[in-house]
């Protein structure tokens, strides 16, 4: 039996690496948390006691998370042994490793290859390295301690490197989105080529990585020197079992504790995000890409929900007959989705930097929607809204789901009218599953794969410059016009996206300045060039142009869904056809295409859930959402439903500003207690999202 003083000594010695790593992790996490509190993107202000509360809860979260990240280091220590190198154990273990290596290398359908991807190659490399190291330690016993020390240092270094790298990653993610890791971070792991390329082009990567590496090496050397004696006296089997049992208990306590600390309610989004730890949020996002509405959100009777939602239409049915009073107009249609164009980038909405001179001038000659809101904060949400014309639903966009084909789309309406239908994108359309979605719904696709080398004057990781895409679009439309068929082309721009690089000499902001204002202004310049080329074409006079943002540049705010971070510009332009005017009522992205079909006098059977804003039954409203929070704006209320079956409602108070009344729409959001909520609008919110989720689930929104 182990004596108490021996047991105490053993624990104090064997947990030293964990203590040093833990203190480093908690210290670095504290620094990151303080940076977030005082970061310019954090628009909430905190008092001293609020800051102390955030730091305390954050420290508890960090400590619990650190315990959960220690299994690999614990297993490393548990498998340290000298006895395994004694005869005959050492030879047997080495033989098993060699046989396993040959099995992976030579057997075609081995278990590793059945998993697909690079699993077999990774396993082969790992086993091969293990054979070399085990062989050296088996046949060179005098070098065993030195080799073990080197491996121990590498293990410590990898832990420290990951801790530092995670802290830097969380900073840049927060700097971009005002959030800890979420679904977007999961996407970034999937689309590694674009994401790594974006990082390489957006930030000073070499100095950054050299700094990370230098910090990791310095900290690793310090921890190694303080703990290298751990390898001189390895624990026996009994000691290892005690250490293992202790670790299992701590692991269980940490899991249990996180289930409470991660659900502590916060008065605003920033407080909740800052006190959280990014790794549990990443894990949750990774395992919840799609949320079952009926499991996580408030419900009412399904028939009642559908009745409530469909009451906004003259025919209260999902499938409705749209009959125009005038003859149909077979005009060409060009829908331009502009990447990350917040309303407040335009002079019309108060911007004084003059970074959208062309769009501002075009808006003056267009039907302009002054109070229009994006349905989400990602490109796929904007494409979903403009293509399917449905409210957003919980989890991933329909575009990224498996069941995303044969839907009722704007493209299917145009195809039924004899149009040539295409999706144009300057990048590779496999990104965000766009190719699968648009091809699966009858669109032809023109993307970077269709460019000849000489057609590309500039490109970054997201795609060719918007000016190059504009030239390709004109070329595509000229070819379509020669066929004698009308065309519908949906063009998604790319240049107004970090790293905000573009050709030099085009605008007065250098292309390598990597400024958001430059990205906006270059896109504006490219659209001017597009229209200059279009005006010279025979098809121009018979074409309607729809210009709209896919989403805002940022979605961070004090509340779950800050309205000002969803307001986007949108207008419809057509010389001699669309009369300039401003539509000032609240509307959604999903209303734009039904309105266009109304202007073209199209007769069709509709399953769109947006409305033609010029019909007498139109109800001013908008849908805005994140992956979890589903919002509904109507009658000066913002209602938000979210997991687990929560309902929040805010009273919206209009604030005065210096713009013309139609553009001066900024709101304060005052949270209402349950007894003060507008029950009718709460039911409307639930009805809209519950009905949409049900119809998607049952394929009722298919063609």
């Amino acid at each position: 039996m182990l004596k108490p003083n021996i047991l105490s000594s053993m624990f104090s010695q064997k947990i030293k690496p964990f203590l040093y790593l833990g203190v480093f992790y908690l210290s670095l996490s504290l620094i990151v948390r303080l940076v977030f509190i005082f970061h310019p993107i954090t628009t909430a202000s905190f008092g001293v006691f609020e800051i102390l509360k955030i730091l305390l809860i954050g420290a508890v979260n960090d400590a619990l998370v650190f315990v959960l990240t220690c299994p690999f280091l614990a297993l490393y220590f548990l498998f340290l042994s000298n006895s395994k190198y004694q005869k005959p154990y050492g030879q047997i273990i080495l033989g098993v490793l060699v046989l396993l290596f040959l099995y992976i290398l030579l057997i075609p359908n081995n278990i590793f290859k059945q998993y697909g991807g690079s699993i077999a190659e990774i396993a082969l490399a790992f086993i091969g390295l293990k054979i070399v190291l085990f062989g050296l330690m088996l046949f060179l016993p005098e070098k065993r301690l030195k080799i073990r020390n080197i491996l121990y240092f590498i293990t410590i270094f990898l832990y420290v490197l990951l801790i530092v790298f995670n802290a830097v990653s969380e900073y840049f993610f927060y700097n971009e989105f005002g959030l800890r890791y979420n679904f977007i971070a999961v996407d970034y792991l999937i689309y590694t080529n674009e994401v790594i390329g974006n990082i390489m082009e957006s930030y000073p990567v070499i100095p950054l990585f050299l700094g990370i590496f230098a910090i990791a090496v310095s900290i690793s050397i310090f921890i190694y020197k303080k703990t290298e004696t751990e390898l001189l006296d390895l624990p026996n089997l009994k000691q290892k079992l005690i250490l293992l049992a202790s670790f299992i208990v701590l692991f269980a306590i940490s899991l249990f504790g996180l289930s409470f600390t991660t659900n502590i309610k916060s008065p605003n989004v920033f407080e909740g995000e800052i006190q959280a730890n990014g790794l549990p949020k990443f894990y949750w996002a990774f395992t919840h890409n799609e949320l079952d509405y009926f499991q996580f959100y408030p419900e009412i009777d399904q028939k009642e929900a559908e009745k409530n939602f469909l009451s906004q239409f003259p025919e209260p049915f999902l499938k409705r007959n749209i009959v125009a009073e005038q003859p149909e107009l077979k005009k060409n249609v060009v829908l331009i989705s502009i990447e990350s164009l917040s309303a407040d980038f335009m002079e019309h909405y108060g911007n004084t930097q003059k970074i959208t001179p062309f769009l501002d001038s075009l808006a003056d000659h267009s039907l302009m929607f002054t109070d229009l809101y994006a349905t989400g904060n990602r490109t796929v949400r904007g494409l979903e809204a403009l293509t399917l014309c449905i409210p957003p639903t919980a989890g991933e966009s329909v575009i990224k789901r498996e069941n995303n084909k044969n839907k009722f789309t704007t493209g299917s309406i145009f195809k039924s009218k004899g149009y040539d239908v295409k999706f144009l994108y300057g990048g590779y359309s496999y990104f965000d599953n766009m190719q699968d979605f648009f091809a699966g719904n009858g669109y032809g696709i023109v993307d970077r794969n269709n460019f000849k080398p000489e057609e590309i004057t500039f490109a970054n990781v997201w795609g060719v410059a918007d000016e190059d895409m504009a030239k390709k679009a004109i070329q595509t439309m000229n070819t379509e016009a020669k066929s004698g068929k009308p065309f519908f082309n949906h063009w998604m721009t790319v240049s107004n996206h970090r790293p905000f690089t573009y050709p030099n000499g085009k605008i007065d902001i250098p292309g390598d300045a990597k400024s958001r204002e430059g990205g906006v202004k270059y896109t504006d310049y490219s659209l001017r060039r597009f229209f200059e080329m279009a005006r010279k074409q025979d098809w121009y006079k018979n074409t309607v142009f729809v210009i709209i943002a896919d989403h805002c540049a940022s979605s961070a705010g004090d509340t779950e869904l800050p309205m000002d971070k969803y307001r986007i510009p949108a207008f419809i332009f057509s010389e001699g056809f669309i009369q300039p005017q401003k539509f000032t009522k609240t509307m959604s992205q999903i209303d734009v295409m039904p309105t266009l079909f109304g202007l073209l006098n199209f007769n069709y059977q509709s399953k769109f859930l947006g409305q033609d804003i010029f019909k007498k039954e139109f109800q001013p409203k908008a849908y805005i959402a994140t992956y979890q929070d589903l919002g509904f704006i109507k009658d000066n209320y913002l209602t938000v439903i979210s997991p687990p079956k929560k309902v929040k409602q805010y009273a919206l108070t209009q604030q005065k500003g210096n713009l013309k009344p139609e553009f001066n729409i900024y709101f304060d959001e005052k949270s209402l207690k349950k007894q003060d909520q507008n029950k009718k609008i709460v039911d409307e919110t639930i009805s809209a999202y519950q009905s949409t989720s049900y119809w998607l689930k049952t394929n009722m929104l298919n063609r």
Side-chain angles (χ1 to χ4, degrees):
M1 183 173 179
L2 289 172
K3 295 181 180 181
N5 61 332
I6 297 176
L7 188 64
S8 173
S9 175
M10 179 190 74
F11 267 89
S12 64
Q13 289 295 317
K14 299 310 172 190
I15 65 173
K16 279 175 65 177
F18 297 93
L19 288 176
Y20 279 105
L21 284 170
V23 169
F24 173 64
Y25 178 66
L26 292 175
S27 301
L28 190 58
S29 296
L30 173 63
I31 293 170
V32 170
R33 200 165 271 113
L34 288 169
V35 170
F36 288 172
I37 289 173
F38 298 105
H39 194 289
I41 204 171
T42 307
T43 55
S45 57
F46 305 111
V48 174
F49 289 107
E50 289 173 312
I51 291 176
L52 290 175
K53 176 194 168 190
I54 290 171
L55 296 181
L56 178 61
I57 295 174
V60 173
N61 277 325
D62 295 338
L64 296 174
V65 168
F66 177 74
V67 172
L68 297 179
T69 61
C70 289
F72 296 108
L73 187 58
L75 288 172
Y76 171 79
F77 279 110
L78 289 171
F79 280 98
L80 286 178
S81 169
N82 284 321
S83 59
K84 64 184 178 184
Y85 298 107
Q86 296 175 0
K87 292 183 179 181
Y89 306 116
Q91 286 76 6
I92 293 172
I93 293 171
L94 183 61
V96 170
L97 289 172
V98 171
L99 288 174
L100 182 58
F101 182 87
L102 294 173
Y103 166 75
I104 300 171
L105 180 66
L106 302 176
I107 305 301
N109 295 315
N110 66 71
I111 190 171
F112 295 96
K113 290 182 179 177
Q114 290 176 13
Y115 284 96
S118 301
I119 300 295
E121 287 79 5
I122 293 171
L124 200 64
F126 177 79
I127 300 299
L129 182 62
K130 187 69 178 174
I131 290 171
V132 172
L133 293 173
F134 190 88
L136 288 173
M137 296 178 79
L138 175 64
F139 298 115
L140 300 173
E142 70 280 3
K143 301 291 185 182
R144 191 174 298 161
L145 182 60
K146 188 173 183 179
I147 295 171
R148 187 177 285 147
N149 282 337
I150 293 171
L151 293 177
Y152 174 61
F153 177 81
I154 292 172
T155 303
I156 294 296
F157 171 74
L158 290 175
Y159 255 89
V160 173
L161 182 65
L162 288 173
I163 289 171
V164 177
F165 186 80
N166 178 67
V168 173
S169 298
E170 285 208 78
Y171 168 76
F172 283 116
F173 195 85
Y174 190 88
N175 185 60
E176 182 79 12
F177 300 103
L179 299 166
R180 297 277 190 171
Y181 296 140
N182 61 10
F183 284 105
I184 300 173
V186 175
D187 283 353
Y188 280 7
L189 274 187
I190 296 171
Y191 299 107
T192 51
N193 182 55
E194 283 78 2
V195 174
I196 292 173
N198 185 29
I199 293 169
M200 295 290 291
E201 295 177 3
S202 300
Y203 303 106
V205 173
I206 294 177
L208 186 65
F209 275 85
L210 286 175
I212 291 172
F213 187 81
I215 292 171
V217 169
S218 301
I219 298 296
S220 299
I221 291 172
F222 174 80
I223 295 175
Y224 172 76
K225 288 184 175 179
K226 292 290 184 179
T227 61
E228 61 181 322
T229 55
E230 303 302 300
L231 305 183
L232 296 176
D233 184 21
L234 300 180
N236 59 36
L237 180 60
K238 191 171 185 178
Q239 293 171 330
K240 287 181 178 181
L241 291 175
I242 294 172
L243 288 169
L244 178 61
S246 303
F247 181 78
I248 291 173
V249 170
L250 284 173
F251 193 89
I253 291 172
S254 297
L255 276 179
F256 184 73
L258 273 178
S259 67
F260 287 98
T261 58
T262 54
N263 289 313
I264 294 175
K265 294 183 179 180
S266 305
N268 64 68
V269 171
F270 285 112
E271 181 174 322
E273 292 293 327
I274 295 171
Q275 71 189 21
N277 184 287
L279 295 179
K281 290 179 72 68
F282 182 89
Y283 175 78
W284 194 94
F286 187 81
T287 56
H288 293 79
N289 261 7
E290 289 188 32
L291 295 177
D292 184 347
Y293 180 93
F294 301 93
Q295 181 180 355
F296 292 101
Y297 291 84
E299 294 177 68
I300 61 177
D301 177 75
Q302 182 61 35
K303 290 184 179 179
E304 186 67 22
E306 293 183 27
K307 181 181 177 182
N308 290 344
F309 184 69
L310 294 172
S311 65
Q312 65 185 297
F313 301 108
E315 293 183 15
F317 308 106
L318 177 57
K319 192 172 185 178
R320 306 171 306 279
N321 291 307
I322 308 297
V323 181
E325 297 177 357
Q326 301 293 327
E328 288 189 348
L329 301 171
K330 293 289 184 69
K331 290 183 174 292
N332 306 309
V333 175
V334 178
L335 168 60
I336 305 175
S337 304
I338 303 178
E339 174 69 48
S340 304
L341 187 72
S342 302
D344 54 17
F345 287 148
M346 291 184 62
E347 188 174 1
H348 278 88
Y349 296 90
N351 191 292
T352 59
Q353 298 169 293
K354 299 188 182 300
I355 53 177
T356 58
F358 175 70
L359 289 174
D360 276 304
S361 66
L362 193 65
D364 288 331
H365 298 89
S366 304
L367 163 59
M368 186 174 189
F369 310 111
T370 67
D371 194 31
L372 186 147
Y373 295 86
T375 59
N377 52 16
R378 294 291 314 280
T379 295
V380 284
R381 280 296 186 201
L383 296 177
E384 173 190 83
L386 294 168
T387 305
L388 301 179
C389 305
I390 61 173
T393 50
E396 277 287 11
S397 162
V398 173
I399 289 175
K400 300 187 72 173
R401 298 181 189 178
E402 289 185 11
N403 184 21
N404 66 0
K405 299 174 180 62
N406 197 39
K407 300 296 183 187
F408 186 84
T409 66
T410 52
S412 65
I413 297 298
F414 281 114
K415 286 183 78 73
S416 72
K417 303 294 181 182
Y419 279 66
D420 194 334
V421 174
K422 286 189 173 66
F423 175 67
L424 282 59
Y425 181 63
Y428 295 111
S429 57
Y430 72 81
F431 182 75
D432 264 349
N433 212 42
M434 289 184 283
Q435 182 176 20
D436 184 63
F437 172 76
F438 282 105
N441 284 285
Y443 286 69
I445 294 177
V446 176
D447 68 0
R448 187 167 178 173
N449 289 307
N450 298 97
F451 279 77
K452 299 175 183 177
E454 61 270 19
E455 293 177 320
I456 302 174
T457 62
F458 184 91
N460 62 23
V461 67
W462 294 111
V464 303
D466 285 346
E467 188 180 4
D468 290 340
M469 188 66 241
K471 295 174 184 175
K472 174 63 77 171
I474 294 294
Q475 182 187 108
T476 301
M477 293 168 198
N478 285 341
T479 301
E480 291 171 321
K482 290 177 182 177
S483 72
K485 295 170 62 177
F487 57 79
F488 167 61
N489 287 332
H490 185 167
W491 169 20
M492 180 70 226
T493 73
V494 301
S495 290
N496 184 32
H497 193 296
R498 193 176 300 278
F500 309 116
T501 54
Y502 45 86
N504 281 314
K506 302 294 183 177
I507 59 174
D508 57 5
I509 302 175
D512 51 6
K514 298 184 179 180
S515 75
R516 185 178 291 279
E517 291 75 19
V520 173
K521 194 166 188 177
Y522 175 71
T523 292
D524 183 84
Y525 162 84
S526 299
L527 291 174
R528 180 191 295 276
R529 291 283 297 117
F530 171 75
F531 275 88
E532 287 173 352
M533 291 183 284
R535 287 191 179 98
K536 299 175 183 178
Q537 313 307 320
D538 293 337
W539 45 262
Y540 173 76
K541 291 286 188 182
N542 192 44
T543 302
V544 180
F545 301 90
V546 182
I547 298 95
I548 184 170
D550 62 342
H551 58 83
C552 281
S554 170
S555 59
D558 295 339
T559 60
E560 293 91 340
L561 298 171
M563 285 177 57
D564 60 317
K565 300 302 175 67
Y566 286 82
R567 193 179 182 204
I568 57 173
F571 37 93
I572 299 176
F573 170 80
S574 182
E575 284 188 22
F577 174 54
I578 299 295
Q579 296 304 309
Q581 61 174 302
K582 291 178 175 60
F583 185 86
T584 60
K585 295 179 182 179
T586 301
M587 61 182 291
S588 172
Q589 250 176 333
I590 72 172
D591 299 320
V592 172
M593 295 308 287
T595 299
L596 174 72
F597 291 138
L599 293 171
L600 295 174
N601 300 321
F602 275 11
N603 300 301
Y604 61 102
Q605 285 191 320
S606 177
K607 288 186 180 181
F608 294 138
L609 304 182
Q611 286 185 288
D612 180 347
I613 61 170
F614 292 116
K615 297 296 184 183
K616 63 181 183 297
E617 62 272 6
F618 171 71
Q619 298 179 13
K621 62 189 177 306
Y623 305 93
I624 60 177
T626 63
Y627 286 96
Q628 297 180 52
D629 301 310
L630 307 175
F632 181 65
I633 303 167
K634 187 178 181 184
D635 295 343
N636 289 327
Y637 289 99
L638 167 61
T639 307
V640 181
I641 57 176
S642 56
K645 300 184 181 292
K646 293 190 296 186
V647 178
K648 289 186 180 180
Q649 193 172 74
Y650 300 87
L652 304 175
T653 306
Q654 188 169 349
Q655 302 298 298
K656 291 184 178 180
N658 300 320
L659 302 178
K660 296 177 182 178
E662 63 265 29
F663 296 104
N664 220 357
I665 308 173
Y666 294 93
F667 292 95
D668 277 346
E669 300 178 16
K670 179 185 176 183
S671 181
L672 298 175
K673 296 179 180 178
K674 187 174 181 179
Q675 62 268 24
D676 297 326
Q677 293 179 355
N678 185 315
K679 182 65 167 58
K680 182 176 181 294
I681 292 183
V682 169
D683 284 346
E684 283 189 58
T685 305
I686 296 171
S687 296
Y689 287 112
Q690 180 177 327
S691 298
T692 305
S693 299
Y694 177 78
W695 292 329
L696 279 171
K697 189 175 183 178
T698 56
N699 293 324
M700 294 178 70
L701 291 175
N702 284 15
R703 289 200 294 270

